[in-house]
Amino acid sequence: MSKIEEQSSGGNQGEIRYLTPLNIATVSKKKYCRFKRSGIKYVDYKDPDFLMSFINDQGKILPRRITGTSLKYQRKVSLAVKRARHLALLPYIGDLVKEE
Amino acid sequence: MQHYETVFILNPVLSESQIEETVKKYQKYITSAKGEIIDTENWGLKKLAYPINKKKSGFYQLIEFSSEGDIVSDLELQFRRDEKVLRYLTVKLDKYALAWSQKRREKLKSKAEKPSEEKEQESQPREPVNA
């Protein structure tokens, strides 16, 4: 951060000087719980396409720190994924699950 | 009274009449045990995400019903004894799930009624491209 400010203010110490501040996102976008935001109260296990967004390529359930889901709905998501797996709507294990 | 939803997968080797028969059998069982069938959905032949009993596809059938809780164990016992059923899952529906399933039913209904209109709308923008 300090370096960028020096560069943007045109300090002579750096070899490369920029007239405009570099376009680097210093503040990352805040993650949010999509269930809370869009008001979904029930996670349906019958919709594998929707649940696809909560599993990775191997078919594992993604952690909350990546999807941003709140704890309340993460529990429901994991239950729904497990139900979908039981009904062979989602695989238990797999390679490149999402590309199929 | 509780609301339940059960999904089961039938053997893909069965003929269509056999499938209808088995589905009716389970529906009859629910109604005979003083349950009330709210909705049935036939998802048709679907590919399984992984093989079950060396089968790669199966007929999915969904039945939503309301009944006393004690019939669920009997129903699942019948599923377990039935060789035609590959998998089954019975879930209790809470108030959010009920609202969701009602919405889903309405969506499916409107989809079933409107396919002709949608097709017309699709074909209109395509015509000038062809001309």
Side-chain angles (χ1 to χ4, degrees):
Chain A
M1 187 68 195
S2 59
K3 268 190 184 173
I4 293 168
E5 274 174 355
E6 275 173 19
Q7 285 166 352
S8 60
S9 63
N12 288 326
Q13 290 146 344
E15 284 184 6
I16 308 165
R17 270 174 281 168
Y18 298 94
L19 291 172
T20 50
L22 280 176
N23 191 19
I24 301 169
T26 48
V27 184
S28 59
K29 262 187 195 172
K30 186 112 173 62
K31 281 173 196 153
Y32 60 90
C33 177
R34 68 170 80 182
F35 296 100
K36 278 191 170 172
R37 191 165 280 195
S38 54
I40 301 169
K41 293 278 172 64
Y42 175 68
V43 188
D44 195 6
Y45 64 93
K46 299 187 289 292
D47 189 357
D49 296 332
F50 175 68
L51 294 176
M52 275 289 178
S53 55
F54 296 98
I55 62 174
N56 70 1
D57 286 343
Q58 290 172 284
K60 290 180 172 183
I61 300 170
L62 287 170
R64 249 154 38 88
R65 65 167 186 273
I66 292 174
T67 56
T69 316
S70 71
L71 178 57
K72 182 178 171 183
Y73 289 103
Q74 178 72 11
R75 274 187 247 124
K76 295 186 179 190
V77 165
S78 76
L79 183 66
V81 169
K82 285 164 189 174
R83 280 175 177 169
R85 282 177 185 164
H86 176 77
L87 285 172
L89 297 171
L90 287 178
Y92 277 101
I93 41 160
D95 297 323
L96 306 171
V97 170
K98 289 188 176 175
E99 286 181 17
E100 278 172 19
Chain B
M1 291 290 257
Q2 277 284 359
H3 287 262
Y4 295 99
E5 180 182 78
T6 177
V7 182
F8 53 93
I9 310 174
L10 290 169
N11 200 323
V13 194
L14 301 173
S15 68
E16 267 182 39
S17 57
Q18 275 173 309
I19 286 162
E20 256 178 50
E21 214 174 275
T22 40
V23 171
K24 265 184 192 162
K25 191 183 100 191
Y26 290 118
Q27 287 181 0
K28 247 185 203 168
Y29 173 74
I30 292 167
T31 47
S32 69
K34 292 177 187 172
E36 191 193 340
I37 289 171
I38 297 165
D39 188 35
T40 58
E41 257 176 55
N42 184 8
W43 300 356
L45 189 68
K46 279 186 82 163
K47 201 173 161 258
L48 303 178
Y50 53 90
I52 302 175
N53 295 354
K54 289 173 187 169
K55 300 195 172 58
K56 287 182 178 173
S57 58
F59 287 98
Y60 282 73
Q61 178 71 36
L62 177 141
I63 302 175
E64 198 184 319
F65 60 97
S66 68
S67 74
E68 298 297 336
D70 47 355
I71 84 159
V72 174
S73 56
D74 288 344
L75 187 69
E76 294 205 329
L77 186 69
Q78 289 191 32
F79 281 140
R80 234 170 287 149
R81 284 179 178 162
D82 197 338
E83 280 186 356
K84 287 171 273 188
V85 177
L86 296 180
R87 275 288 158 88
Y88 59 86
L89 177 75
T90 310
V91 232
K92 192 161 84 180
L93 298 179
D94 59 9
K95 57 181 175 179
Y96 300 125
L98 274 176
W100 180 270
S101 69
Q102 204 156 8
K103 229 183 185 181
R104 179 185 160 91
R105 231 173 293 148
E106 278 164 18
K107 240 188 219 173
L108 287 175
K109 247 188 209 171
S110 62
K111 250 187 197 174
E113 284 168 10
K114 277 185 185 171
S116 56
E117 285 178 27
E118 280 173 14
K119 269 178 195 170
E120 280 170 23
Q121 284 174 348
E122 274 176 20
S123 63
Q124 277 170 351
R126 272 179 203 165
E127 276 164 19
V129 178
N130 290 339

